[in-house]
Amino acid sequence: MKRTESFAAAVFLAGTLGLASQAGAQDIRLDRTVTFAELVTQPGTDAATGNEYRQGPVEEDALKKLIRGSVSSARVSSAHVPRPEDLAVDGAGAATGFNGLTQAQQRLADGGHQFTVEPPDQGLAVGNGYVIEAVNLALRIRLASGAPGGAVVSLNRFFFQESAIVRATATTPARFGHFVSDPKAYYHAATGHWFVTVLSIDIDPATGAFQGRSRVHVAVSQTANPTGAWRIYSIETTNGTGATPGHAGCPCFGDQPLIGADANGFYITTNEFPIFVGGFNGAQVYAVSINDLENPAVIQPRMKAFDNLPLAEGPAYTLQPATAPPGVAYNSGTAYFLSALDFTGTLDDRIAVWALSNTGWLATGIGTAPSLQSLVVQSQSYGQPPDAEQKDGPTPLGDLLKGLKIATEHLPLVAANDDRMQQVMFDGTNLWSALNTVVKPLNGPTRVGSAYFVVRPSTAGGALSATIVRQGYLSVNNNSVLYPSVAVNGLGSAAIGLTLVGPDYYPSAAYVRVPGSAAPSVLNVAAAGAGPEDGFTGYVTFSGRTARWGDYSAAAVDEAGNLWFATEYIPALPRTLLANWGTYIGKITP
């Protein structure tokens, strides 16, 4: 799903849309070095006196509206909506954990010079006794015990040493920072470096209007201690990436940067959308030397970019690069990716496996540059999920809006977005991933479930082959499970973190263990929701009656093989007037 940072046309930041110069298509460079101590919360609080939201670029609300293609013979009919066995719902089991970031914490970061944001897309990295969680628009470093390791830091301040917004006073006009979105995080255990990525679009600082330049930013810690110094690189994403600059509708931006890594490269993929007009230009792939990124002497790391990637009857989208847990060898010179193929927003029974060969070139510059190939394999069926219902309960914002009588308001639905592939992890032999899908439970209408896949790839002889060695569904009768993320360690222990929500449950943080051979049978609630989602994106007064939920969750594995997950839920914690989301970080000891 594309990221929508803003959410209400009624509060669109007026201004003239200006075009900046379009930088080189394959430019990657070191922008700055920053010390984490410089980024502490600023004194005072910037009260919400206007400009509480920021309007996003011109985009559709679902990728299915932007990607069109013919209906192939592999398409499955509506009669093939998955009808899986339902999971039993139980308590927290063996998981431990703690509350992550909340909307109130991210809004008040940087002295309150922040926007109200839904949803909180999540990045998670764990290692060396630390946990980094990033959401829109903030990040926080904790100790692995859950104890604070640092202040909540604005992503604008982390990447640009600026505020997202300094609101107008009686004597000074408002000043706007870069549009920043879609954070991801990774810990490279083999070398002890942390990575955090975001996308950005340039903003006219006086008017808040979008300008025609975009980048993906990569922050790299200089040591294994994430509270120290970081180097920040940027990749131009304004107009094309690889062999074909000048893409349709550009200036463009790279939506939802996804990340992976092996011993040679750090891999970023995006979906390219025009900033000012509708359209979709497909997936872009950036393969960057991880050695160069970690080397303070390198100003311009070695990079190979790919664009215009065809796949079956439509353009490729949302290529999820794989990471490997600590201790797993991922140094064969081939990096893997997975993606889905539902081009029409209905149902499909195929997934795609991608192999990026010759990644050793990224480390040395010697030999043949990397090349990318794909293979479509038959899979279980999956399809466009519906919006999720939620349990009725206290809705202070909803009640306030009803009293204003601007629009007829109801309990919001929760957005499941679409059925694109989610985070991928490689256990040394197999690729593990999952996605949202429509399911038909035993009772009631269709709901949101999760489909998971275990894929064994090979590039023996240079040709990519792949086999699905395991697949299945996660479903709870008459309720929904959203935004799965899979963690698997080097011994093959696996778990899937997600959100549980429905007529019987407030949005809750949950997980499912994936046994060695049998199908999962129990969903464990790690943190029960304390009330309904009651944020502004779920109300007609602002934008609609379906609330934005996390476009993705996150999972990670530490050096001891513990499985970590981060997912959104509704906690019993302080909220702001306009949103009440929170996150939960859980740890499962195999």
Side-chain angles (χ1 to χ4, degrees), residues 45-47 49 51 113 166-175:
T45 297
D46 183 359
T49 57
N51 302 123
H113 297 292
V166 178
R167 291 175 175 82
T169 68
T171 57
T172 59
R175 184 170 182 83

Side-chain angles (χ1 to χ4, degrees), residues 98 176 215-216 244 370 389 405 409 415 439 500 536 582:
F98 45 87
F176 301 92
R215 287 165 287 174
V216 169
T244 341
E389 295 183 22
K405 297 182 179 179
E409 300 290 5
V439 293
L500 168 67
F536 68 100

Side-chain angles (χ1 to χ4, degrees), residues 336-338 351-355 373-377 431 455 457 464 466:
Y336 294 108
F337 308 68
L338 293 177
I351 63 172
V353 185
W354 300 76
Q373 58 181 313
S374 65
L375 177 70
V376 174
V377 297
L431 301 164
V455 183
L464 174 63

Side-chain angles (χ1 to χ4, degrees), residues 33-37 220-223 225-231:
T33 300
V34 62
T35 301
F36 198 83
V220 185
S221 72
Q222 295 191 26
T223 71
N225 184 341
T227 65
W230 293 68
R231 292 183 302 278

